[in-house]
Amino acid sequence: GKAIIAERYTYLPYIGLSFIVGMMLDDLLSKKKLFRVAGIVMGGVLILLSLYFIRSTCERTRVWNNDITLWTDAIDKYPDVRLNFLYEKRGKTFVHNQQFEEAVEDYQTVVKNDPRDENAYANIGWICGQFLNQPDKALEYLGTGYKVNPENIFILKGLGIAHGMKGHIPQAL
């Protein structure tokens, strides 16, 4: 789910876990010969794991040239999984970079994966209305989003703007 992005919050708790493992390793190394061998093996395993994670981190930094390459790589790695938040993040980045057609494609993928995602409809409508000057297409998507949730403030605002662009002032109001 979306919580995987918040993995950065796990680093601080790992200090406690690392302290416990370090104390166990220290205890094993200070005991008899048999336990000392087990401690050396455990230390070797920890060093190998650390090297593996260092290598993995270096590989990921090669991919992360910018947000688009990062999200595209994640989408390419998990093509069979409907991780809509990856498309949402990349779509938001496309909008930020003024690549509006690409953003619409990503949000359309979200809608295809989850036809009840009201925010994807709102985003497509907003992009079509604000940036692509396509009020008819904006009204189509915003209307569908309105059917999903008629109380979504972003959909209501988008409908007002799109109707205003078409000169339908009573509906816009």
Side-chain angles (χ1 to χ4, degrees):
K2 293 182 181 183
I4 193 72
I5 293 174
E7 70 169 20
R8 64 185 176 272
Y9 299 119
T10 64
Y11 295 132
L12 197 56
Y14 278 134
I15 292 172
L17 181 62
S18 299
F19 180 76
I20 291 169
V21 170
M23 292 301 293
M24 287 173 48
L25 186 59
D26 181 60
D27 189 48
L28 286 174
L29 289 173
S30 66
K31 299 237 175 180
K32 294 182 181 175
K33 186 176 182 178
L34 179 63
F35 289 115
R36 190 172 294 140
V37 171
I40 291 170
V41 169
M42 187 172 155
V45 168
L46 289 175
I47 289 171
L48 289 174
L49 274 173
S50 296
L51 290 174
Y52 168 76
F53 288 130
I54 289 169
R55 182 176 167 269
S56 297
T57 300
C58 288
E59 285 180 18
R60 293 305 302 156
T61 58
R62 288 188 193 112
V63 171
W64 197 345
N65 299 320
N66 56 49
D67 288 351
I68 292 174
T69 60
L70 176 70
W71 298 124
T72 301
D73 182 66
I75 290 168
D76 291 343
K77 280 194 174 19
Y78 305 102
D80 298 330
V81 180
R82 292 183 175 172
L83 297 173
N84 282 342
F85 76 93
L86 295 174
Y87 291 99
E88 290 167 358
K89 294 289 187 182
R90 190 172 70 172
K92 183 178 178 182
T93 305
F94 279 137
V95 169
H96 181 74
N97 292 338
Q98 299 182 357
Q99 295 173 276
F100 303 116
E101 289 84 8
E102 291 86 349
V104 168
E105 286 177 23
D106 275 357
Y107 288 119
Q108 285 173 332
T109 301
V110 172
V111 167
K112 187 174 83 176
N113 290 341
D114 181 8
R116 305 231 5 111
D117 191 323
E118 63 197 68
N119 292 322
Y121 291 113
N123 286 323
I124 295 170
W126 174 66
I127 293 166
C128 290
Q130 288 287 112
F131 301 111
L132 298 178
N133 196 25
Q134 299 173 347
D136 291 327
K137 191 173 180 181
L139 285 171
E140 174 190 338
Y141 279 98
L142 292 165
T144 305
Y146 182 81
K147 291 175 186 170
V148 174
N149 181 3
E151 296 179 8
N152 184 311
I153 191 76
F154 299 109
I155 291 173
L156 293 172
K157 181 180 176 183
L159 282 168
I161 292 170
H163 280 298
M165 290 174 72
K166 299 269 304 171
H168 305 149
I169 303 305
Q171 287 120 326
L173 293 174

